[in-house]
PDB file of all heavy atoms in Angstrom:
ATOM      1  N   ASP A  26      11.073   0.087  -7.531  1.00 95.00           N
ATOM      2  CA  ASP A  26      11.253  -1.027  -8.504  1.00 95.00           C
ATOM      3  C   ASP A  26       9.928  -1.749  -8.525  1.00 95.00           C
ATOM      4  O   ASP A  26       9.535  -2.651  -7.716  1.00 95.00           O
ATOM      5  CB  ASP A  26      12.348  -2.037  -8.018  1.00 95.00           C
ATOM      6  CG  ASP A  26      12.587  -3.179  -9.001  1.00 95.00           C
ATOM      7  OD1 ASP A  26      11.807  -3.408  -9.818  1.00 95.00           O
ATOM      8  OD2 ASP A  26      13.671  -3.860  -8.758  1.00 95.00           O
ATOM      9  N   LEU A  27       8.981  -1.365  -9.434  1.00 95.00           N
ATOM     10  CA  LEU A  27       7.680  -1.804  -9.461  1.00 95.00           C
ATOM     11  C   LEU A  27       7.531  -3.311  -9.606  1.00 95.00           C
ATOM     12  O   LEU A  27       6.655  -4.096  -9.078  1.00 95.00           O
ATOM     13  CB  LEU A  27       6.788  -1.070 -10.443  1.00 95.00           C
ATOM     14  CG  LEU A  27       6.744   0.472 -10.193  1.00 95.00           C
ATOM     15  CD1 LEU A  27       5.848   1.050 -11.262  1.00 95.00           C
ATOM     16  CD2 LEU A  27       6.136   0.887  -8.807  1.00 95.00           C
ATOM     17  N   ASP A  28       8.406  -3.866 -10.633  1.00 94.00           N
ATOM     18  CA  ASP A  28       8.370  -5.367 -10.826  1.00 94.00           C
ATOM     19  C   ASP A  28       8.654  -6.142  -9.550  1.00 94.00           C
ATOM     20  O   ASP A  28       8.027  -7.072  -9.255  1.00 94.00           O
ATOM     21  CB  ASP A  28       9.390  -5.612 -11.929  1.00 94.00           C
ATOM     22  CG  ASP A  28       8.985  -5.128 -13.361  1.00 94.00           C
ATOM     23  OD1 ASP A  28       7.771  -4.913 -13.530  1.00 94.00           O
ATOM     24  OD2 ASP A  28       9.886  -4.883 -14.093  1.00 94.00           O
ATOM     25  N   THR A  29       9.716  -5.710  -8.821  1.00 92.00           N
ATOM     26  CA  THR A  29      10.001  -6.332  -7.569  1.00 92.00           C
ATOM     27  C   THR A  29       8.857  -6.225  -6.544  1.00 92.00           C
ATOM     28  O   THR A  29       8.581  -7.268  -5.874  1.00 92.00           O
ATOM     29  CB  THR A  29      11.355  -5.788  -6.931  1.00 92.00           C
ATOM     30  OG1 THR A  29      12.323  -5.913  -7.862  1.00 92.00           O
ATOM     31  CG2 THR A  29      11.626  -6.449  -5.654  1.00 92.00           C
ATOM     32  N   LEU A  30       8.178  -5.208  -6.479  1.00 93.00           N
ATOM     33  CA  LEU A  30       7.083  -4.985  -5.596  1.00 93.00           C
ATOM     34  C   LEU A  30       5.784  -5.619  -6.008  1.00 93.00           C
ATOM     35  O   LEU A  30       4.722  -5.784  -5.377  1.00 93.00           O
ATOM     36  CB  LEU A  30       6.794  -3.461  -5.351  1.00 93.00           C
ATOM     37  CG  LEU A  30       7.955  -2.742  -4.704  1.00 93.00           C
ATOM     38  CD1 LEU A  30       7.730  -1.248  -4.567  1.00 93.00           C
ATOM     39  CD2 LEU A  30       8.215  -3.277  -3.172  1.00 93.00           C
ATOM     40  N   GLY A  31       5.748  -6.079  -7.387  1.00 92.00           N
ATOM     41  CA  GLY A  31       4.572  -6.718  -7.757  1.00 92.00           C
ATOM     42  C   GLY A  31       3.434  -5.861  -8.197  1.00 92.00           C
ATOM     43  O   GLY A  31       2.242  -6.297  -8.161  1.00 92.00           O
ATOM     44  N   VAL A  32       3.815  -4.627  -8.668  1.00 95.00           N
ATOM     45  CA  VAL A  32       2.759  -3.748  -9.040  1.00 95.00           C
ATOM     46  C   VAL A  32       3.032  -3.113 -10.374  1.00 95.00           C
ATOM     47  O   VAL A  32       4.200  -3.235 -10.813  1.00 95.00           O
ATOM     48  CB  VAL A  32       2.509  -2.577  -7.995  1.00 95.00           C
ATOM     49  CG1 VAL A  32       2.063  -3.151  -6.696  1.00 95.00           C
ATOM     50  CG2 VAL A  32       3.624  -1.753  -7.820  1.00 95.00           C
ATOM     51  N   THR A  33       1.997  -2.500 -11.055  1.00 95.00           N
ATOM     52  CA  THR A  33       2.383  -1.922 -12.358  1.00 95.00           C
ATOM     53  C   THR A  33       2.284  -0.434 -12.199  1.00 95.00           C
ATOM     54  O   THR A  33       1.797   0.138 -11.126  1.00 95.00           O
ATOM     55  CB  THR A  33       1.242  -2.276 -13.393  1.00 95.00           C
ATOM     56  OG1 THR A  33      -0.080  -1.708 -12.879  1.00 95.00           O
ATOM     57  CG2 THR A  33       1.091  -3.810 -13.445  1.00 95.00           C
ATOM     58  N   ALA A  34       2.835   0.191 -13.115  1.00 95.00           N
ATOM     59  CA  ALA A  34       2.842   1.694 -13.196  1.00 95.00           C
ATOM     60  C   ALA A  34       1.442   2.262 -13.259  1.00 95.00           C
ATOM     61  O   ALA A  34       1.117   3.229 -12.585  1.00 95.00           O
ATOM     62  CB  ALA A  34       3.595   2.159 -14.392  1.00 95.00           C
ATOM     63  N   GLU A  35       0.515   1.560 -13.966  1.00 94.00           N
ATOM     64  CA  GLU A  35      -0.902   1.936 -14.096  1.00 94.00           C
ATOM     65  C   GLU A  35      -1.544   1.840 -12.682  1.00 94.00           C
ATOM     66  O   GLU A  35      -2.271   2.829 -12.302  1.00 94.00           O
ATOM     67  CB  GLU A  35      -1.594   1.039 -15.015  1.00 94.00           C
ATOM     68  CG  GLU A  35      -1.200   1.069 -16.388  1.00 94.00           C
ATOM     69  CD  GLU A  35       0.213   0.529 -16.967  1.00 94.00           C
ATOM     70  OE1 GLU A  35       0.666  -0.449 -16.144  1.00 94.00           O
ATOM     71  OE2 GLU A  35       0.708   0.791 -17.864  1.00 94.00           O
ATOM     72  N   GLN A  36      -1.248   0.841 -11.851  1.00 95.00           N
ATOM     73  CA  GLN A  36      -1.875   0.773 -10.506  1.00 95.00           C
ATOM     74  C   GLN A  36      -1.322   2.004  -9.708  1.00 95.00           C
ATOM     75  O   GLN A  36      -2.169   2.586  -8.943  1.00 95.00           O
ATOM     76  CB  GLN A  36      -1.414  -0.504  -9.894  1.00 95.00           C
ATOM     77  CG  GLN A  36      -2.128  -1.736 -10.188  1.00 95.00           C
ATOM     78  CD  GLN A  36      -1.535  -2.949  -9.503  1.00 95.00           C
ATOM     79  OE1 GLN A  36      -0.346  -3.343  -9.886  1.00 95.00           O
ATOM     80  NE2 GLN A  36      -2.214  -3.448  -8.569  1.00 95.00           N
ATOM     81  N   ALA A  37       0.034   2.159  -9.808  1.00 95.00           N
ATOM     82  CA  ALA A  37       0.635   3.165  -8.955  1.00 95.00           C
ATOM     83  C   ALA A  37       0.239   4.522  -9.270  1.00 95.00           C
ATOM     84  O   ALA A  37       0.068   5.520  -8.383  1.00 95.00           O
ATOM     85  CB  ALA A  37       2.150   3.005  -8.914  1.00 95.00           C
ATOM     86  N   ASP A  38      -0.015   4.768 -10.577  1.00 91.00           N
ATOM     87  CA  ASP A  38      -0.379   6.080 -11.087  1.00 91.00           C
ATOM     88  C   ASP A  38      -1.936   6.318 -10.637  1.00 91.00           C
ATOM     89  O   ASP A  38      -2.292   7.446 -10.592  1.00 91.00           O
ATOM     90  CB  ASP A  38      -0.322   6.164 -12.581  1.00 91.00           C
ATOM     91  CG  ASP A  38      -0.542   7.498 -13.120  1.00 91.00           C
ATOM     92  OD1 ASP A  38      -0.032   8.522 -12.486  1.00 91.00           O
ATOM     93  OD2 ASP A  38      -1.207   7.712 -14.179  1.00 91.00           O
ATOM     94  N   ARG A  39      -2.706   5.367 -10.577  1.00 92.00           N
ATOM     95  CA  ARG A  39      -4.169   5.500 -10.283  1.00 92.00           C
ATOM     96  C   ARG A  39      -4.477   5.809  -8.800  1.00 92.00           C
ATOM     97  O   ARG A  39      -5.350   6.502  -8.458  1.00 92.00           O
ATOM     98  CB  ARG A  39      -4.806   4.162 -10.727  1.00 92.00           C
ATOM     99  CG  ARG A  39      -6.431   4.221 -10.657  1.00 92.00           C
ATOM    100  CD  ARG A  39      -7.062   2.921 -11.092  1.00 92.00           C
ATOM    101  NE  ARG A  39      -6.646   1.824 -10.447  1.00 92.00           N
ATOM    102  CZ  ARG A  39      -5.989   0.781 -11.065  1.00 92.00           C
ATOM    103  NH1 ARG A  39      -5.744   0.846 -12.462  1.00 92.00           N
ATOM    104  NH2 ARG A  39      -5.455  -0.256 -10.435  1.00 92.00           N
ATOM    105  N   GLU A  40      -3.704   5.176  -8.061  1.00 95.00           N
ATOM    106  CA  GLU A  40      -3.945   5.401  -6.509  1.00 95.00           C
ATOM    107  C   GLU A  40      -2.644   5.083  -5.683  1.00 95.00           C
ATOM    108  O   GLU A  40      -1.788   4.462  -6.172  1.00 95.00           O
ATOM    109  CB  GLU A  40      -5.112   4.471  -6.133  1.00 95.00           C
ATOM    110  CG  GLU A  40      -4.836   2.941  -6.291  1.00 95.00           C
ATOM    111  CD  GLU A  40      -5.985   2.136  -6.184  1.00 95.00           C
ATOM    112  OE1 GLU A  40      -7.185   2.645  -5.826  1.00 95.00           O
ATOM    113  OE2 GLU A  40      -5.949   0.931  -6.370  1.00 95.00           O
ATOM    114  N   VAL A  41      -2.701   5.595  -4.477  1.00 97.00           N
ATOM    115  CA  VAL A  41      -1.577   5.313  -3.478  1.00 97.00           C
ATOM    116  C   VAL A  41      -1.732   3.756  -3.235  1.00 97.00           C
ATOM    117  O   VAL A  41      -2.752   3.248  -3.233  1.00 97.00           O
ATOM    118  CB  VAL A  41      -1.776   6.187  -2.322  1.00 97.00           C
ATOM    119  CG1 VAL A  41      -3.024   5.842  -1.465  1.00 97.00           C
ATOM    120  CG2 VAL A  41      -0.505   6.079  -1.386  1.00 97.00           C
ATOM    121  N   LEU A  42      -0.513   3.184  -3.070  1.00 98.00           N
ATOM    122  CA  LEU A  42      -0.498   1.762  -2.732  1.00 98.00           C
ATOM    123  C   LEU A  42       0.220   1.406  -1.466  1.00 98.00           C
ATOM    124  O   LEU A  42       1.301   2.131  -1.219  1.00 98.00           O
ATOM    125  CB  LEU A  42       0.210   0.991  -3.960  1.00 98.00           C
ATOM    126  CG  LEU A  42      -0.368   1.111  -5.283  1.00 98.00           C
ATOM    127  CD1 LEU A  42       0.466   0.554  -6.400  1.00 98.00           C
ATOM    128  CD2 LEU A  42      -1.831   0.594  -5.364  1.00 98.00           C
ATOM    129  N   TRP A  43      -0.269   0.512  -0.696  1.00 97.00           N
ATOM    130  CA  TRP A  43       0.285   0.073   0.581  1.00 97.00           C
ATOM    131  C   TRP A  43       0.759  -1.443   0.308  1.00 97.00           C
ATOM    132  O   TRP A  43      -0.095  -2.290  -0.121  1.00 97.00           O
ATOM    133  CB  TRP A  43      -0.715   0.081   1.622  1.00 97.00           C
ATOM    134  CG  TRP A  43      -0.160  -0.506   2.945  1.00 97.00           C
ATOM    135  CD1 TRP A  43      -0.309  -1.641   3.513  1.00 97.00           C
ATOM    136  CD2 TRP A  43       0.652   0.298   3.959  1.00 97.00           C
ATOM    137  NE1 TRP A  43       0.243  -1.797   4.679  1.00 97.00           N
ATOM    138  CE2 TRP A  43       0.861  -0.552   4.962  1.00 97.00           C
ATOM    139  CE3 TRP A  43       1.076   1.644   3.945  1.00 97.00           C
ATOM    140  CZ2 TRP A  43       1.650  -0.207   6.147  1.00 97.00           C
ATOM    141  CZ3 TRP A  43       1.778   2.029   5.019  1.00 97.00           C
ATOM    142  CH2 TRP A  43       2.073   1.095   6.154  1.00 97.00           C
ATOM    143  N   ILE A  44       2.092  -1.710   0.471  1.00 96.00           N
ATOM    144  CA  ILE A  44       2.591  -3.052   0.167  1.00 96.00           C
ATOM    145  C   ILE A  44       3.353  -3.511   1.532  1.00 96.00           C
ATOM    146  O   ILE A  44       4.124  -2.970   2.020  1.00 96.00           O
ATOM    147  CB  ILE A  44       3.658  -3.076  -0.995  1.00 96.00           C
ATOM    148  CG1 ILE A  44       2.967  -2.448  -2.107  1.00 96.00           C
ATOM    149  CG2 ILE A  44       4.159  -4.374  -1.225  1.00 96.00           C
ATOM    150  CD1 ILE A  44       3.812  -2.094  -3.309  1.00 96.00           C
ATOM    151  N   GLU A  45       2.687  -4.674   1.909  1.00 92.00           N
ATOM    152  CA  GLU A  45       3.364  -5.367   3.205  1.00 92.00           C
ATOM    153  C   GLU A  45       4.565  -6.180   2.905  1.00 92.00           C
ATOM    154  O   GLU A  45       4.493  -6.821   1.751  1.00 92.00           O
ATOM    155  CB  GLU A  45       2.311  -6.197   3.896  1.00 92.00           C
ATOM    156  CG  GLU A  45       1.202  -5.463   4.502  1.00 92.00           C
ATOM    157  CD  GLU A  45       1.538  -4.830   5.892  1.00 92.00           C
ATOM    158  OE1 GLU A  45       2.604  -5.203   6.460  1.00 92.00           O
ATOM    159  OE2 GLU A  45       0.751  -3.921   6.364  1.00 92.00           O
ATOM    160  N   PRO A  46       5.540  -6.188   3.629  1.00 83.00           N
ATOM    161  CA  PRO A  46       6.716  -6.979   3.279  1.00 83.00           C
ATOM    162  C   PRO A  46       6.421  -8.414   3.237  1.00 83.00           C
ATOM    163  O   PRO A  46       5.692  -8.924   4.176  1.00 83.00           O
ATOM    164  CB  PRO A  46       7.733  -6.624   4.259  1.00 83.00           C
ATOM    165  CG  PRO A  46       7.033  -6.012   5.394  1.00 83.00           C
ATOM    166  CD  PRO A  46       5.726  -5.394   4.793  1.00 83.00           C
ATOM    167  N   GLY A  47       6.754  -9.165   2.147  1.00 81.00           N
ATOM    168  CA  GLY A  47       6.512 -10.590   2.076  1.00 81.00           C
ATOM    169  C   GLY A  47       5.142 -10.947   1.837  1.00 81.00           C
ATOM    170  O   GLY A  47       4.845 -12.087   1.655  1.00 81.00           O
ATOM    171  N   ALA A  48       4.144 -10.043   1.715  1.00 77.00           N
ATOM    172  CA  ALA A  48       2.885 -10.433   1.377  1.00 77.00           C
ATOM    173  C   ALA A  48       2.607 -10.158  -0.209  1.00 77.00           C
ATOM    174  O   ALA A  48       3.126  -9.320  -0.763  1.00 77.00           O
ATOM    175  CB  ALA A  48       1.935  -9.476   2.208  1.00 77.00           C
ATOM    176  N   ALA A  49       1.687 -10.951  -0.602  1.00 76.00           N
ATOM    177  CA  ALA A  49       1.303 -10.876  -2.067  1.00 76.00           C
ATOM    178  C   ALA A  49       0.167  -9.922  -2.222  1.00 76.00           C
ATOM    179  O   ALA A  49      -0.302  -9.681  -3.391  1.00 76.00           O
ATOM    180  CB  ALA A  49       0.950 -12.285  -2.592  1.00 76.00           C
ATOM    181  N   VAL A  50      -0.338  -9.341  -1.166  1.00 87.00           N
ATOM    182  CA  VAL A  50      -1.567  -8.420  -1.316  1.00 87.00           C
ATOM    183  C   VAL A  50      -1.081  -7.008  -1.300  1.00 87.00           C
ATOM    184  O   VAL A  50      -0.312  -6.581  -0.497  1.00 87.00           O
ATOM    185  CB  VAL A  50      -2.459  -8.688  -0.045  1.00 87.00           C
ATOM    186  CG1 VAL A  50      -3.663  -7.735  -0.124  1.00 87.00           C
ATOM    187  CG2 VAL A  50      -2.906 -10.161  -0.029  1.00 87.00           C
ATOM    188  N   VAL A  51      -1.659  -6.271  -2.249  1.00 95.00           N
ATOM    189  CA  VAL A  51      -1.341  -4.818  -2.373  1.00 95.00           C
ATOM    190  C   VAL A  51      -2.754  -4.194  -2.149  1.00 95.00           C
ATOM    191  O   VAL A  51      -3.712  -4.451  -2.729  1.00 95.00           O
ATOM    192  CB  VAL A  51      -0.872  -4.514  -3.775  1.00 95.00           C
ATOM    193  CG1 VAL A  51      -0.724  -3.025  -3.876  1.00 95.00           C
ATOM    194  CG2 VAL A  51       0.399  -5.153  -4.071  1.00 95.00           C
ATOM    195  N   HIS A  52      -2.704  -3.133  -1.227  1.00 97.00           N
ATOM    196  CA  HIS A  52      -3.844  -2.477  -0.874  1.00 97.00           C
ATOM    197  C   HIS A  52      -3.829  -1.081  -1.549  1.00 97.00           C
ATOM    198  O   HIS A  52      -2.739  -0.453  -1.571  1.00 97.00           O
ATOM    199  CB  HIS A  52      -4.044  -2.293   0.620  1.00 97.00           C
ATOM    200  CG  HIS A  52      -4.200  -3.445   1.324  1.00 97.00           C
ATOM    201  ND1 HIS A  52      -5.307  -4.111   1.453  1.00 97.00           N
ATOM    202  CD2 HIS A  52      -3.211  -4.195   2.000  1.00 97.00           C
ATOM    203  CE1 HIS A  52      -5.090  -5.361   2.230  1.00 97.00           C
ATOM    204  NE2 HIS A  52      -3.749  -5.333   2.474  1.00 97.00           N
ATOM    205  N   GLY A  53      -4.859  -0.616  -2.204  1.00 97.00           N
ATOM    206  CA  GLY A  53      -4.880   0.671  -2.968  1.00 97.00           C
ATOM    207  C   GLY A  53      -5.878   1.702  -2.439  1.00 97.00           C
ATOM    208  O   GLY A  53      -6.762   1.171  -1.887  1.00 97.00           O
ATOM    209  N   GLY A  54      -5.647   2.987  -2.692  1.00 97.00           N
ATOM    210  CA  GLY A  54      -6.579   3.937  -2.425  1.00 97.00           C
ATOM    211  C   GLY A  54      -6.874   4.169  -0.925  1.00 97.00           C
ATOM    212  O   GLY A  54      -5.988   4.124  -0.143  1.00 97.00           O
ATOM    213  N   ALA A  55      -8.119   4.227  -0.593  1.00 98.00           N
ATOM    214  CA  ALA A  55      -8.594   4.388   0.720  1.00 98.00           C
ATOM    215  C   ALA A  55      -8.173   3.212   1.668  1.00 98.00           C
ATOM    216  O   ALA A  55      -7.772   3.482   2.854  1.00 98.00           O
ATOM    217  CB  ALA A  55      -9.977   4.568   0.834  1.00 98.00           C
ATOM    218  N   ASP A  56      -8.140   1.971   1.006  1.00 98.00           N
ATOM    219  CA  ASP A  56      -7.583   0.768   1.970  1.00 98.00           C
ATOM    220  C   ASP A  56      -6.146   0.981   2.295  1.00 98.00           C
ATOM    221  O   ASP A  56      -5.682   0.721   3.360  1.00 98.00           O
ATOM    222  CB  ASP A  56      -7.829  -0.436   1.187  1.00 98.00           C
ATOM    223  CG  ASP A  56      -9.218  -0.743   0.804  1.00 98.00           C
ATOM    224  OD1 ASP A  56     -10.099  -0.231   1.646  1.00 98.00           O
ATOM    225  OD2 ASP A  56      -9.553  -1.474  -0.092  1.00 98.00           O
ATOM    226  N   ALA A  57      -5.344   1.627   1.228  1.00 97.00           N
ATOM    227  CA  ALA A  57      -3.884   1.923   1.661  1.00 97.00           C
ATOM    228  C   ALA A  57      -3.767   2.925   2.741  1.00 97.00           C
ATOM    229  O   ALA A  57      -2.852   2.817   3.680  1.00 97.00           O
ATOM    230  CB  ALA A  57      -3.213   2.318   0.400  1.00 97.00           C
ATOM    231  N   VAL A  58      -4.595   3.917   2.681  1.00 97.00           N
ATOM    232  CA  VAL A  58      -4.617   4.989   3.680  1.00 97.00           C
ATOM    233  C   VAL A  58      -4.901   4.388   5.022  1.00 97.00           C
ATOM    234  O   VAL A  58      -4.343   4.750   6.092  1.00 97.00           O
ATOM    235  CB  VAL A  58      -5.569   6.140   3.303  1.00 97.00           C
ATOM    236  CG1 VAL A  58      -5.695   7.121   4.418  1.00 97.00           C
ATOM    237  CG2 VAL A  58      -4.990   6.807   2.018  1.00 97.00           C
ATOM    238  N   ALA A  59      -5.924   3.570   5.039  1.00 98.00           N
ATOM    239  CA  ALA A  59      -6.378   2.876   6.262  1.00 98.00           C
ATOM    240  C   ALA A  59      -5.231   2.031   6.860  1.00 98.00           C
ATOM    241  O   ALA A  59      -4.990   2.098   8.057  1.00 98.00           O
ATOM    242  CB  ALA A  59      -7.621   1.922   6.171  1.00 98.00           C
ATOM    243  N   HIS A  60      -4.397   1.312   6.042  1.00 97.00           N
ATOM    244  CA  HIS A  60      -3.337   0.559   6.505  1.00 97.00           C
ATOM    245  C   HIS A  60      -2.215   1.419   6.949  1.00 97.00           C
ATOM    246  O   HIS A  60      -1.609   1.155   8.069  1.00 97.00           O
ATOM    247  CB  HIS A  60      -2.814  -0.384   5.398  1.00 97.00           C
ATOM    248  CG  HIS A  60      -3.538  -1.636   5.307  1.00 97.00           C
ATOM    249  ND1 HIS A  60      -4.741  -1.819   4.696  1.00 97.00           N
ATOM    250  CD2 HIS A  60      -3.273  -2.927   5.725  1.00 97.00           C
ATOM    251  CE1 HIS A  60      -5.198  -3.069   4.714  1.00 97.00           C
ATOM    252  NE2 HIS A  60      -4.243  -3.742   5.399  1.00 97.00           N
ATOM    253  N   LEU A  61      -2.011   2.470   6.416  1.00 97.00           N
ATOM    254  CA  LEU A  61      -0.939   3.499   6.868  1.00 97.00           C
ATOM    255  C   LEU A  61      -1.381   3.930   8.263  1.00 97.00           C
ATOM    256  O   LEU A  61      -0.588   3.977   9.224  1.00 97.00           O
ATOM    257  CB  LEU A  61      -0.896   4.653   5.976  1.00 97.00           C
ATOM    258  CG  LEU A  61      -0.026   5.862   6.377  1.00 97.00           C
ATOM    259  CD1 LEU A  61       1.511   5.417   6.431  1.00 97.00           C
ATOM    260  CD2 LEU A  61      -0.115   6.975   5.343  1.00 97.00           C
ATOM    261  N   LEU A  62      -2.672   4.382   8.437  1.00 97.00           N
ATOM    262  CA  LEU A  62      -3.097   4.820   9.744  1.00 97.00           C
ATOM    263  C   LEU A  62      -2.974   3.669  10.771  1.00 97.00           C
ATOM    264  O   LEU A  62      -2.602   3.951  11.938  1.00 97.00           O
ATOM    265  CB  LEU A  62      -4.559   5.270   9.662  1.00 97.00           C
ATOM    266  CG  LEU A  62      -4.812   6.526   8.917  1.00 97.00           C
ATOM    267  CD1 LEU A  62      -6.357   6.764   8.584  1.00 97.00           C
ATOM    268  CD2 LEU A  62      -4.230   7.730   9.409  1.00 97.00           C
ATOM    269  N   LYS A  63      -3.314   2.570  10.467  1.00 96.00           N
ATOM    270  CA  LYS A  63      -3.259   1.393  11.425  1.00 96.00           C
ATOM    271  C   LYS A  63      -1.789   1.037  11.866  1.00 96.00           C
ATOM    272  O   LYS A  63      -1.685   0.481  12.811  1.00 96.00           O
ATOM    273  CB  LYS A  63      -3.995   0.133  10.806  1.00 96.00           C
ATOM    274  CG  LYS A  63      -5.410   0.285  10.732  1.00 96.00           C
ATOM    275  CD  LYS A  63      -6.131  -1.063  10.441  1.00 96.00           C
ATOM    276  CE  LYS A  63      -5.899  -1.378   9.087  1.00 96.00           C
ATOM    277  NZ  LYS A  63      -6.735  -2.663   8.660  1.00 96.00           N
ATOM    278  N   GLN A  64      -0.862   1.358  11.044  1.00 93.00           N
ATOM    279  CA  GLN A  64       0.552   1.089  11.283  1.00 93.00           C
ATOM    280  C   GLN A  64       1.112   2.182  12.201  1.00 93.00           C
ATOM    281  O   GLN A  64       2.128   1.941  12.808  1.00 93.00           O
ATOM    282  CB  GLN A  64       1.264   1.082  10.015  1.00 93.00           C
ATOM    283  CG  GLN A  64       2.670   0.601  10.068  1.00 93.00           C
ATOM    284  CD  GLN A  64       3.591   1.861  10.216  1.00 93.00           C
ATOM    285  OE1 GLN A  64       3.276   2.999   9.861  1.00 93.00           O
ATOM    286  NE2 GLN A  64       4.869   1.613  10.777  1.00 93.00           N
ATOM    287  N   SER A  65       0.553   3.226  12.491  1.00 93.00           N
ATOM    288  CA  SER A  65       1.108   4.398  13.170  1.00 93.00           C
ATOM    289  C   SER A  65       1.252   3.924  14.692  1.00 93.00           C
ATOM    290  O   SER A  65       0.457   3.153  15.205  1.00 93.00           O
ATOM    291  CB  SER A  65       0.123   5.564  13.202  1.00 93.00           C
ATOM    292  OG  SER A  65       0.693   6.545  14.101  1.00 93.00           O
ATOM    293  N   PRO A  66       2.340   4.308  15.366  1.00 93.00           N
ATOM    294  CA  PRO A  66       2.494   4.026  16.740  1.00 93.00           C
ATOM    295  C   PRO A  66       1.543   4.735  17.621  1.00 93.00           C
ATOM    296  O   PRO A  66       1.393   4.394  18.903  1.00 93.00           O
ATOM    297  CB  PRO A  66       3.973   4.467  17.028  1.00 93.00           C
ATOM    298  CG  PRO A  66       4.262   5.402  16.000  1.00 93.00           C
ATOM    299  CD  PRO A  66       3.514   5.157  14.806  1.00 93.00           C
ATOM    300  N   ARG A  67       0.890   5.733  17.115  1.00 93.00           N
ATOM    301  CA  ARG A  67      -0.078   6.537  18.005  1.00 93.00           C
ATOM    302  C   ARG A  67      -1.461   5.867  17.920  1.00 93.00           C
ATOM    303  O   ARG A  67      -2.113   5.665  16.817  1.00 93.00           O
ATOM    304  CB  ARG A  67      -0.160   8.021  17.367  1.00 93.00           C
ATOM    305  CG  ARG A  67       1.140   8.634  17.560  1.00 93.00           C
ATOM    306  CD  ARG A  67       1.139  10.053  17.204  1.00 93.00           C
ATOM    307  NE  ARG A  67       2.433  10.697  17.434  1.00 93.00           N
ATOM    308  CZ  ARG A  67       2.920  11.670  16.727  1.00 93.00           C
ATOM    309  NH1 ARG A  67       2.208  12.183  15.661  1.00 93.00           N
ATOM    310  NH2 ARG A  67       4.088  12.233  16.984  1.00 93.00           N
ATOM    311  N   ARG A  68      -2.052   5.640  18.993  1.00 96.00           N
ATOM    312  CA  ARG A  68      -3.306   4.878  19.309  1.00 96.00           C
ATOM    313  C   ARG A  68      -4.453   5.616  18.491  1.00 96.00           C
ATOM    314  O   ARG A  68      -5.223   4.927  17.836  1.00 96.00           O
ATOM    315  CB  ARG A  68      -3.658   4.776  20.618  1.00 96.00           C
ATOM    316  CG  ARG A  68      -4.757   3.913  20.981  1.00 96.00           C
ATOM    317  CD  ARG A  68      -5.044   3.682  22.438  1.00 96.00           C
ATOM    318  NE  ARG A  68      -6.085   2.791  22.724  1.00 96.00           N
ATOM    319  CZ  ARG A  68      -7.277   3.027  23.004  1.00 96.00           C
ATOM    320  NH1 ARG A  68      -7.617   4.318  23.067  1.00 96.00           N
ATOM    321  NH2 ARG A  68      -8.150   2.062  23.244  1.00 96.00           N
TER     322      ARG A  68
END
């Protein structure tokens, strides 16, 4: 549900997106990948 997540289909089609719960900031592309890596339980 892109509207609920606050992103557009154009954004999502252009790059992978990382969305934090309750945050208004959306990270895309390499920044989204970095956030995914930082969230891992593995050091």
